[in-house]
Amino acid sequence: MPIYAYKCESCGHAKDVLQKISDAPLSECPACGKPTFSKQLTAAGFQLKGSGWYATDFRGSTAGAGGTSAPATTAPESASASSEAAPAATACGGNCACH
């Protein structure tokens, strides 16, 4: 079951709630009782670690399938091109899936 982040627009109360995907979203704030409690948009909270299929098939390594490989490096040209396209000051530092 996923964990959803909720926040009240009236009083600012924030809470993480474990809910089924099929459950109706909460609307009443547990702190103030007003119907202004809504889901927040958040990033996924997981990381892929280890030597699974994603590391051998989709990481751009030069090693053959089934072997362990070093992480792919980025060429200086593509690093300078991406820094020009994205704003210099980002909340995530530019090292995330959104950049």
Side-chain angles (χ1 to χ4, degrees), residues 15-71:
K15 183 177 182 179
D16 292 339
V17 180
L18 181 67
Q19 284 184 297
K20 292 181 182 178
I21 294 174
S22 60
D23 287 348
L26 302 176
S27 60
E28 186 176 319
C29 177
C32 69
K34 294 183 180 176
T36 56
F37 206 50
S38 60
K39 281 186 185 178
Q40 301 296 299
L41 182 61
T42 59
F46 72 95
Q47 291 182 345
L48 301 175
K49 292 183 178 181
S51 60
W53 59 267
Y54 60 89
T56 57
D57 294 341
F58 296 107
R59 298 227 15 203
S61 65
T62 58
T68 58
S69 61

